[in-house]
Amino acid sequence: MTDEFGVWLYAVTRAADAAADSGSMTGVAGERVCTVVSDVLAAFVGSVPLAVFGEQPLRRNLEDLDWLAATARAHDAVVSALVRRGPTVPLRLATVFLDDERVRELLDARRADFVAALTLVTGRTEWGVKAYTDRAALTAAVADARSSMGAEKGRGTAYLARRRAELSAQATVERDAAERAEQIHASLVRHSAAGRRQAATDPALSGRRDWMVLNGTYLVDDDRADDFAATVRELGEELPGIRLEITGPWPPYSFAGVDQEPI
């Protein structure tokens, strides 16, 4: 590579699985995607102009939401194509190195981590589950559950029991939301190979105003994806006041575990 170009890193696979026709893929700069091989690993990379993808211009460009969205789509298109071919460890967006040799150094230094990650994601894909609610809906659902517990006290006290339940639910809505989110997450982890709770999505990016109480990602065996989706549906039915949304399958970005600062 010349001083005017850097190396954009897309993903890592086993060298034995690296597709011979990787050059048919184009990347974030419209460049031909190729491979850098070291021992048992192959990195999929592209040559990108540093005038656009160097440290300073990249920092500015990432603040342009349209540019960021287009670049993210191009990056993900390469990663998704690789995932369809075999086990793949995707690298985070905007991982740029000075040259191919620096990429080889990464593969050598983190070989054990990459091999472990490839083993983890083999036969599995990532699914996202988000849980939404609003204070009124959750308060009402919790109040219903609490007032029904005291229904045996008699009809004459039903109104007071309901009112106490409503006041109690209003006071504890934050805690109730956290408890339900943890209940959902724990159940989904039991039905997956791994799970992580992510930060809630910024409403400015999601375009949604309802309250996100869970943003989870789960690594699911491909042959158990239907069972996982069924579990999500069941949890949505069992927990009034909570709305669950499932997305996927996605490349296993959340479970690569080997993100590396550019060098």
Side-chain angles (χ1 to χ4, degrees):
M1 301 292 176
T2 70
D3 292 341
E4 297 177 349
F5 288 86
V7 181
W8 183 286
L9 179 55
Y10 294 94
V12 173
T13 70
R14 298 183 180 95
D17 296 335
D21 62 343
S22 62
S24 63
M25 293 185 288
T26 56
V28 295
E31 84 284 6
R32 179 176 62 86
V33 174
C34 57
T35 57
V36 174
V37 177
S38 179
D39 196 46
V40 298
L41 298 173
F44 284 79
V45 303
S47 176
V48 296
L50 293 178
V52 178
F53 297 96
E55 182 178 357
Q56 293 301 325
L58 185 58
R59 184 176 294 121
R60 292 192 300 269
N61 287 331
L62 290 174
E63 296 177 356
D64 181 338
L65 294 183
D66 291 336
W67 187 93
L68 174 59
T71 302
R73 285 194 298 270
H75 179 88
D76 187 66
V78 174
V79 172
S80 296
L82 294 172
V83 167
R84 288 192 292 270
R85 298 177 182 185
T88 301
V89 174
L91 272 292
R92 64 178 175 83
L93 189 70
T95 303
V96 182
F97 291 83
L98 293 178
D99 52 38
D100 290 352
E101 188 55 37
R102 301 297 181 94
V103 176
R104 290 191 183 90
E105 290 175 3
L106 170 66
L107 296 180
D108 292 341
R110 304 294 300 277
R111 181 178 299 136
D113 295 329
F114 279 117
V115 170
L118 284 166
T119 299
L120 176 64
V121 303
T122 297
R124 296 166 174 153
T125 44
E126 180 173 321
W127 292 80
V129 177
K130 293 180 173 63
Y132 296 93
T133 188
D134 59 65
R135 292 178 182 274
L138 184 58
T139 297
V142 172
D144 284 342
R146 291 176 180 172
S147 62
S148 66
M149 294 171 60
E152 70 279 0
K153 294 180 180 179
R155 298 176 62 182
T157 60
Y159 173 79
L160 290 177
R162 172 67 187 181
R163 185 57 181 157
R164 283 196 297 269
E166 289 175 348
L167 293 173
S168 175
Q170 290 171 4
T172 63
V173 65
E174 296 279 350
R175 186 191 69 193
D176 294 331
E179 289 177 350
R180 292 192 178 209
E182 184 55 36
Q183 179 181 349
I184 294 165
H185 179 66
S187 179
L188 295 180
V189 167
R190 289 194 295 271
H191 288 82
S192 59
R196 291 185 176 179
R197 294 188 66 170
Q198 312 288 357
T201 304
D202 186 336
L205 297 177
S206 67
R208 300 188 59 151
R209 295 184 178 181
D210 39 359
W211 182 14
M212 181 187 293
V213 296
L214 174 67
N215 182 14
T217 54
Y218 305 91
L219 190 65
V220 179
D221 291 347
D222 291 335
D223 59 3
R224 298 188 62 189
D226 290 344
D227 291 339
F228 182 82
T231 299
V232 173
R233 289 193 298 271
E234 291 167 3
L235 287 169
E237 295 169 356
E238 293 170 0
L239 295 170
I242 298 288
R243 298 183 300 280
L244 296 183
E245 292 184 359
I246 182 172
T247 59
W250 306 111
Y253 286 103
S254 300
F255 304 95
V258 286
D259 281 349
Q260 174 71 22
E261 289 298 318
I263 56 176

